[in-house]
Amino acid sequence: MQSIENLKFLTPEEARKIATNFGTPIFVYSRKGIERSCDDALAFPNAFGLTVRFAMKANPGRTVLEILKKKGIHIDASSEHEVQRAILAGFKPSDILLTSQQLASSLKDLIPQGVQFNACSLRQLEEFGKNFPGKEVSIRFNPGLGSGATKKTDVGGKTSSFGIWHEEIGKVKEIVSKYGLKLVRVHTHIGSGSDPEVWKAVAHYTLEIAAQFPDCRTVNLGGGFKVGRMIGEKTTDPQTIGKPVKELFENYAKEKGIQLKMEIEPGSFLMVNNGAILTQVDDIVYTGEGGYTFVKLDMGMDVNTRPALYAAKHPLVVIPGKEKSEQKTGDFVYVGHCCESGDLITQEEGGGPQLRTTQIPEIGDLVVMEGAGAYCSSMSVKNYNSYPETQEVMIDLDGSVKLVRKKQTLEQVLQNEVLVSLG
């Protein structure tokens, strides 16, 4: 039998109170947890200085960004739109590094403001050189290695389009020389769920790349620190993986006479287990002998698309409407409320229902979906089946619950539709 999951930061009483006061579904975040994770990241072993950049795509909510800014975290932006949101949240442009798959159309406006640019392809580097000859630039390289919990979270190696392939370093040097650019930062990122040994190896290769550019003073090793959501899943210890990497930087300084500053870009590490989705059991259906008991929740892929997208597993904790002296368990398939066969909250990799052992739920019971602080709200399939964007609350340091995102109204869902005369 599977282990029964436990609540990570909510209490049953808090969950019931939030559901009563705000309704469900709703995202719930813990400020205390976020700040504690920030402290852990800022303590990452380093030899000559450290900048921690939040992979903003994990959760770009304004209140989250403001908390991180107060803790001294900088920003890794994956699009020009994230840059603008970070600036609106109070970040200085110089604290933002733009690392985007698509070349920003507003690059000519962002760079003069002080935003730092990380070229992710030869074309991006060429365009930057044309527009900003002689300027400082950062480059993301694909070091030839990757690591990920699934192929969809692996962003290194031959199967990944991220960064400039390491064997094209000669072409990089040609463009840098052509436009008189100063390559001041070398960047790599290999994926989520990184194996510590792979991470160490990539750090070694990244330093070898950095050694080929005399102006390089910063090495950004990306993120990908595995965070365990489910019982039994391991969580990366920054101290464990950071110590040998720190030694690599120290050895580099002895050999090259250059003290490189380190950057890391955690997203999940800062947020995953500091957020949850509070939902309610809407229905329970049974499909006969040899079938399943399906527990239907009042949320689905419109709120959290990860289970449908790549069979991601999230802890599910049933909170009965009233306290019960005996909590019996059973095996169930949890599904979302979307009219979509793939809206399986508990599914096997590749599709198909998967049983999950939980307390026996009843219609009206609450269910807490844990591990929802990162890549859930930001990746949700908003408005599928015309469900509104989900509301969000933050539990502040004093225990008070503050609304940080309102539930979307029907008018807001429709506001960009244009009425045309069809004749």
Side-chain angles (χ1 to χ4, degrees):
M1 179 177 290
Q2 301 171 8
S3 299
I4 303 298
E5 298 283 346
N6 300 308
L7 295 172
K8 297 188 184 299
F9 63 87
L10 281 167
T11 65
E13 294 74 20
E14 286 174 327
R16 294 189 186 102
K17 187 175 181 179
I18 291 172
T20 297
N21 292 339
F22 296 96
T24 60
I26 188 168
F27 281 93
V28 184
Y29 303 108
S30 166
R31 179 177 177 181
K32 182 184 296 184
I34 295 170
E35 293 194 356
R36 182 170 56 245
S37 294
C38 286
D39 291 337
D40 290 341
L42 289 166
F44 193 91
N46 65 91
F48 309 110
L50 173 73
T51 296
V52 177
R53 296 186 181 278
F54 176 53
M56 185 174 159
K57 60 185 181 289
N59 191 319
R62 178 158 187 157
T63 301
V64 168
L65 294 180
E66 289 179 348
I67 292 171
L68 298 176
K69 183 171 66 69
K70 287 178 180 291
K71 295 297 292 185
I73 306 294
H74 291 198
I75 290 294
D76 162 50
S78 293
S79 74
E80 57 196 295
H81 310 291
E82 286 190 348
V83 171
Q84 296 293 355
R85 289 181 72 172
I87 291 174
L88 288 173
F91 284 90
K92 295 184 296 184
S94 59
D95 290 341
I96 302 169
L97 178 64
L98 174 60
T99 306
S100 59
Q101 280 284 80
Q102 178 179 325
L103 182 65
S105 60
S106 59
L107 195 64
K108 291 181 181 180
D109 299 322
L110 297 178
I111 300 304
Q113 293 180 48
V115 174
Q116 300 178 59
F117 179 68
N118 196 19
C120 296
S121 70
L122 293 173
R123 184 234 171 174
Q124 288 191 10
L125 182 61
E126 182 81 30
E127 289 298 316
F128 181 88
K130 289 178 182 177
N131 289 289
F132 304 102
K135 290 283 189 179
E136 294 183 349
V137 70
S138 171
I139 294 181
R140 176 173 182 171
F141 288 91
N142 181 333
L145 287 175
S147 178
T150 73
K151 278 295 181 185
K152 293 185 179 180
T153 58
D154 185 333
V155 291
K158 289 184 178 294
T159 61
S160 171
S161 66
F162 291 83
I164 298 173
W165 185 244
H166 63 100
E167 293 177 337
E168 294 189 307
I169 195 167
K171 296 179 181 178
V172 170
K173 291 179 178 179
E174 289 177 9
I175 298 173
V176 168
S177 175
K178 179 180 178 181
Y179 296 105
L181 299 174
K182 295 182 179 180
L183 201 168
V184 296
R185 180 192 291 103
V186 167
H187 174 284
T188 60
H189 175 57
I190 59 175
S192 303
S194 306
D195 177 274
E197 289 302 314
V198 176
W199 206 80
K200 178 183 175 182
V202 171
H204 173 75
Y205 298 144
T206 306
L207 289 174
E208 288 187 338
I209 295 173
Q212 299 188 50
F213 296 94
D215 294 318
C216 181
R217 291 296 179 270
T218 301
V219 165
N220 185 317
L221 296 173
F225 309 113
K226 171 67 177 176
V227 178
R229 290 177 166 88
M230 305 286 291
I231 287 178
E233 290 183 346
K234 293 182 179 180
T235 294
T236 299
D237 178 6
Q239 296 300 315
T240 299
I241 66 170
K243 184 179 178 181
V245 173
K246 175 186 175 184
E247 292 173 355
L248 289 176
F249 276 67
E250 290 171 339
N251 291 336
Y252 186 95
K254 291 177 182 178
E255 295 173 6
K256 311 292 183 184
I258 299 173
Q259 296 181 349
L260 293 174
K261 186 174 181 180
M262 183 193 299
E263 293 186 351
I264 57 174
E265 294 174 344
S268 293
F269 185 83
L270 295 180
M271 291 300 302
V272 161
N273 288 325
N274 300 318
I277 300 169
L278 182 58
T279 179
Q280 191 172 44
V281 177
D282 179 72
D283 207 346
I284 300 175
V285 299
Y286 175 61
T287 55
E289 186 176 351
Y292 301 93
T293 299
F294 290 92
V295 180
K296 298 183 179 182
L297 302 179
D298 67 353
M299 58 76 68
M301 61 194 296
D302 61 304
V303 180
N304 179 11
T305 191
R306 294 184 73 252
L309 185 62
Y310 38 76
K313 292 179 173 59
H314 287 263
L316 300 173
V317 182
V318 176
I319 299 179
K322 296 181 179 179
E323 290 290 350
K324 298 178 181 179
S325 57
E326 184 179 6
Q327 300 291 340
K328 295 183 179 180
T329 63
D331 295 332
F332 309 93
V333 176
Y334 283 79
V335 298
H337 60 184
C338 291
C339 188
E340 169 61 57
S341 59
D343 194 11
L344 292 166
I345 291 169
T346 58
Q347 69 164 297
E348 299 174 345
E349 188 170 345
Q354 185 177 69
L355 290 169
R356 177 75 63 84
T357 302
T358 67
Q359 296 174 354
I360 296 176
E362 297 179 0
I363 294 174
D365 283 351
L366 297 176
V367 175
V368 176
M369 178 183 287
E370 293 284 6
Y375 300 101
C376 292
S377 173
S378 60
M379 284 176 59
S380 60
V381 187
K382 295 177 176 66
N383 301 147
Y384 184 55
N385 289 171
S386 292
Y387 283 112
E389 183 179 40
T390 310
Q391 57 189 335
E392 304 183 19
V393 293
M394 176 77 67
I395 301 177
D396 212 339
L397 300 179
D398 61 0
S400 62
V401 179
K402 298 178 178 177
L403 184 68
V404 298
R405 183 188 297 276
K406 297 178 181 178
K407 181 180 180 180
Q408 193 180 29
T409 65
L410 178 60
E411 289 74 22
Q412 289 172 325
V413 173
L414 302 177
Q415 65 183 358
N416 289 330
E417 293 186 359
V418 178
L419 296 177
V420 297
S421 175
L422 299 177

